[in-house]
Amino acid sequence: MTYKLLPYFTIILFLMSCSVKKEPQSNSHDIKPDTITLFDKARNRKVPVAYFNQKARNKISKQRVVIFSHGYGANKGGDYLIYSYLTKNLATKGYFVASIQHELPTDEMIPSDGKPQIVRMPFWKRGAENILFVLNELKKSHPELDYEHITLIGHSNGGDMTALFATQHPDLVYKIITMDNRRMYLPKTSSPKVYTLRSNDYPADEGVLPSDEEQRKFRIVVQPTHINHGNMDDKANDQEKKTLNSYIEGYLSEK
């Protein structure tokens, strides 16, 4: 009897394997950043950038662009690579992600004294200039990308830069997502679309977040989380990374 049943088991296993077979898909382990150091002649400044994208075999027509700006790293460098849970995940979802290193070892440190909206503004302006420079360089090197739907994402100080850029260049941005920016006022506007994720341990300065009435009027999303401010990079645990990715993917998919 055992020998007679073997062909039937073989057939069943074959059918099961066919039923669960799926097309191979990219995952975060397949995404390797391409790092490049651009040079802005107008400002005599190096701008390191990491590009996260799917392999050429998964080429996407009119691929949407995300430009990411890291939180303050005290000029140590390498900050543009420590949000890989997010940048790699977005690449697997079909986005072309450019993560900018905003701080160089030779830069001055951000002041800790004084009104942040005044003493930190030059640093945010430099970050906004970096974003504009990288965007213009992308248009030259990757003209096939979709520049009608640019999304900017930034954490903490990078979120402040993101908010400033959207205020300065609203015509260049489709959406912004700030991850617990605390100092620069978010634009009170429906275009670009504004989303912000908030930490559970640090409040934003007065006036940074829109009022409840402004949120309703401009359809701005202010989303509280149970995540610490400092755990929005790769230090986040698996559940925190899942939560942040889920919110951001949802914001990006909204029309």
Side-chain angles (χ1 to χ4, degrees):
M1 286 295 291
T2 303
Y3 293 104
K4 290 182 181 179
L5 288 173
L6 278 175
Y8 295 100
F9 284 126
T10 303
I11 293 171
I12 291 170
L13 289 172
F14 174 76
L15 291 173
M16 289 175 64
S17 67
C18 290
S19 65
V20 299
K21 187 177 181 181
K22 297 179 180 179
E23 291 297 318
Q25 296 193 8
S26 295
N27 58 56
S28 61
H29 299 294
D30 298 327
I31 306 297
K32 307 296 181 186
D34 291 324
T35 57
I36 182 173
T37 298
L38 304 174
F39 187 75
D40 185 352
K41 293 181 181 178
R43 295 183 296 150
N44 192 34
R45 183 176 180 83
K46 294 179 180 179
V47 184
V49 185
Y51 297 138
F52 297 83
N53 194 21
Q54 292 186 13
K55 295 179 181 178
R57 61 183 173 82
N58 296 324
K59 205 154 189 175
I60 300 166
S61 176
K62 298 301 288 183
Q63 189 175 11
R64 293 198 177 187
V65 178
V66 171
I67 298 180
F68 183 80
S69 297
H70 60 81
Y72 186 54
N75 301 354
K76 296 188 299 293
D79 311 280
Y80 66 149
L81 298 174
I82 63 170
Y83 295 79
S84 62
Y85 79 92
L86 173 58
T87 51
K88 287 184 177 182
N89 180 66
L90 291 179
T92 68
K93 305 303 179 184
Y95 295 94
F96 186 101
V97 182
S99 180
I100 303 173
Q101 176 62 42
H102 287 286
E103 302 162 21
L104 301 178
T106 53
D107 289 341
E108 294 181 12
M109 303 288 279
I110 284 185
S112 56
D113 297 323
K115 185 176 175 61
Q117 290 77 13
I118 296 175
V119 299
R120 297 189 181 187
M121 183 59 71
F123 298 84
W124 300 339
K125 286 182 176 178
R126 185 181 67 203
E129 289 170 352
N130 287 342
I131 294 170
L132 183 60
F133 172 70
V134 169
L135 178 56
N136 287 333
E137 289 300 302
L138 270 178
K139 289 179 178 179
K140 297 175 190 174
S141 61
H142 294 77
E144 75 283 358
L145 299 176
D146 178 1
Y147 295 103
E148 298 299 318
H149 300 90
I150 299 289
T151 296
L152 304 185
I153 304 177
H155 174 225
S156 191
N157 192 57
D160 292 325
M161 297 174 185
T162 294
L164 177 62
F165 186 94
T167 301
Q168 293 177 328
H169 307 285
D171 55 320
L172 297 181
V173 188
Y174 179 53
K175 295 178 181 179
I176 69 166
I177 303 170
T178 70
M179 301 166 67
D180 214 39
N181 73 298
R182 299 172 52 217
R183 311 299 190 184
M184 176 63 200
Y185 308 116
L186 288 172
K188 279 72 171 180
T189 175
S190 55
S191 180
K193 299 175 186 293
V194 178
Y195 307 85
T196 182
L197 293 165
R198 312 311 305 171
S199 73
N200 68 347
D201 56 345
Y202 288 125
D205 288 354
E206 184 177 356
V208 168
L209 300 180
S211 65
D212 291 344
E213 181 180 350
E214 289 169 330
Q215 291 175 43
R216 289 190 294 270
K217 179 180 179 181
F218 299 112
R219 301 182 67 184
I220 296 172
V221 176
V222 178
Q223 177 61 57
T225 73
H226 295 292
I227 302 171
N228 289 351
H229 178 88
N231 277 8
M232 289 187 168
D233 59 14
D234 283 344
K235 293 192 297 293
N237 62 41
D238 289 344
Q239 183 56 52
E240 290 170 337
K241 292 174 183 177
K242 182 178 179 180
T243 297
L244 292 168
N245 277 329
S246 178
Y247 278 128
I248 289 171
E249 287 174 36
Y251 299 152
L252 289 170
S253 66
E254 286 186 9
K255 301 297 185 182

